[in-house]
Amino acid sequence: MSDRLEALRRVPFVLSAARSAGKLVNHTVPDLLRPDVDPAAVDRSAVDPAAAAPATSLGPGARDETDLPLTPAEIPAARNPAFTAEDVTDFGSVDFVADPFMLPGPDRWHLFFEVCNYARDPDAVIGHATSPDGLRWEYDRAVLNTGEHLSFPYVFEWEGTRYMVPEEGGSHGRSIRLYEATDFPGEWEPRATLVSADHRTDDTVLFRWRDRWWLLVGDGDVAGIRAYHSDSLVADDWVPHGDNPVVTGRPAAFRPGGRPIVGSDGVVVFFQDCERRYGEAVRAFEVTDLGPETYADEDRPESPILEGTGARFGWNSGRMHHVDPWYVDGRWLCVADGNVANSAVFTGRHWALGMYSAD
């Protein structure tokens, strides 16, 4: 029966109908049934990007036990999903949007994310949207297309320059490149090949810790993490950790799932929980030891910090696998992604983006 169902789902008409039904049931109808948001509620929930700009080194704000966004809640005024595949206007009939990362500007928030259309070649590029308040997003355009599958557009600012480290090539990718914004937000040029590897490069995060740059990347072949470090950000061939892979055999937490939180007393890294299936939930890990020859981390007791609601329908009823937190004026603004519960019926292609907060 499963083979017959899979064959049926490959029929173009059936595939299109299932995709349309999924969007209708999980995105459109819930939005129509929600009461209108009071404009005052929007004003109260709005987050001024100027309060966060310019972005700091990847660790966007205070970092202590009371400041960690480990119990995020949806922002009602955002009317989640705040951004869906239907909002993309320049990449055909888009299947889904995922892997969101924000950057603040002087008068608006910038959002970068994977845009996937399986009928295109390449099938995924990096899209861009903007928002005045961190709640309501307007699509701009695709801003990076390298001719191969792109996802996980990890964007950050360092010493006045904006950079991006996307995943390139999907499961076939074996290198990690650093891009610089030459005309933000729409023009990006490669500046360095940080890693040329003989292993998978499943999503990459960078951060600066104790006067050294660190890179953590997932390796799906060993369900583990590999680490690299460098004295300089813009440099080819970062030094591999002396004990690579620093983690193996941990499907519940090996693939990065969002922006790390970096502070004077430690680093918290978010990982996707893929133990049962890809992208089931987001787990937070405290890095307890980090050096050229040492690495240790431990799961935070709050994990998983994000997961599907368990409802029968809804934009995030099934899975959640990404979070990007920013600390602004005493609270956290987070963007996350989620997928529907009935993904087998609705083709599994319904990742969308939503806004969260944490005090």
Side-chain angles (χ1 to χ4, degrees):
M1 179 62 72
S2 60
D3 291 340
R4 291 180 181 177
L5 177 60
E6 186 61 33
L8 186 62
R9 287 170 52 189
R10 293 196 188 102
V11 177
F13 170 76
V14 174
L15 181 64
S16 177
R19 182 169 58 188
S20 298
K23 292 175 181 177
L24 178 67
V25 170
N26 294 283
H27 295 169
T28 306
V29 170
D31 184 57
L32 292 173
L33 294 177
R34 277 194 293 263
D36 291 336
V37 176
D38 183 350
V42 176
D43 290 341
R44 289 193 300 270
S45 300
V47 180
D48 182 3
T56 58
S57 153
L58 311 127
R63 161 69 177 86
D64 60 39
E65 289 300 311
T66 61
D67 285 327
L68 292 174
L70 302 184
T71 56
E74 289 194 57
I75 303 175
R79 294 185 68 93
N80 288 335
F83 196 91
T84 73
E86 297 297 297
D87 295 311
V88 178
T89 58
D90 62 352
F91 201 60
S93 182
V94 173
D95 289 286
F96 66 79
V97 291
D99 297 350
F101 286 102
M102 295 185 290
L103 274 182
D107 61 353
R108 70 189 65 188
W109 288 93
H110 297 269
L111 181 66
F112 298 86
F113 46 90
E114 175 188 358
V115 176
C116 186
N117 179 348
Y118 289 118
R120 288 288 186 102
D121 185 17
D123 63 354
V125 297
I126 303 304
H128 173 252
T130 62
S131 172
D133 53 19
L135 306 176
R136 299 161 295 181
W137 295 92
E138 181 178 354
Y139 184 66
D140 174 27
R141 64 195 188 276
V143 294
L144 185 62
N145 182 345
T146 64
E148 59 182 336
H149 181 100
L150 295 176
S151 60
F152 205 81
Y154 186 57
V155 290
F156 61 95
E157 183 174 326
W158 176 249
E159 295 184 338
T161 300
R162 297 177 177 98
Y163 297 96
M164 181 190 298
V165 181
E167 179 187 287
E168 300 188 68
S171 61
H172 302 291
R174 295 295 184 272
S175 64
I176 303 169
R177 286 194 289 181
L178 177 74
Y179 288 79
E180 178 184 325
T182 55
D183 186 8
F184 185 84
E187 298 293 334
W188 300 83
E189 296 293 335
R191 285 292 178 259
T193 301
L194 310 182
V195 173
S196 297
D198 59 356
H199 59 77
R200 288 180 57 161
T201 51
D202 299 321
D203 301 335
T204 299
V205 293
L206 278 73
F207 54 89
R208 188 164 175 81
W209 173 247
R210 294 182 176 172
D211 298 322
R212 189 189 301 264
W213 284 97
W214 289 94
L215 175 160
L216 300 180
V217 60
D219 180 353
D221 287 337
V222 297
I225 305 165
R226 296 180 185 267
Y228 292 81
H229 58 90
S230 175
D231 292 331
S232 301
L233 171 62
V234 185
D236 293 326
D237 300 322
W238 284 24
V239 179
H241 192 280
D243 195 30
N244 265 345
V246 295
V247 171
T248 58
R250 195 172 75 182
F254 75 89
R255 185 172 185 146
R259 186 183 306 273
I261 299 173
V262 182
S264 59
D265 59 345
V267 181
V268 170
V269 181
F270 300 101
F271 293 105
Q272 301 178 35
D273 187 338
C274 300
E275 186 163 29
R276 192 168 75 92
R277 57 178 175 171
Y278 167 74
E280 184 78 14
V282 178
R283 309 192 72 88
F285 273 68
E286 188 95 27
V287 177
T288 58
D289 190 4
L290 180 60
E293 303 290 332
T294 60
Y295 178 89
D297 62 17
E298 59 184 32
D299 200 3
R300 293 279 309 196
E302 299 88 349
S303 290
I305 67 159
L306 282 174
E307 57 186 334
T309 64
R312 293 184 62 187
F313 303 105
W315 75 278
N316 62 344
S317 54
R319 293 176 281 168
M320 301 190 74
H321 77 356
H322 185 100
V323 64
D324 183 38
W326 284 85
Y327 191 74
V328 187
D329 280 346
R331 57 176 169 158
W332 291 91
L333 175 69
C334 310
V335 61
D337 62 11
N339 200 2
V340 306
N342 296 301
S343 59
V345 176
F346 297 129
T347 75
R349 303 175 179 182
H350 292 290
W351 290 95
L353 314 182
M355 305 309 300
Y356 283 69
S357 65
D359 296 326

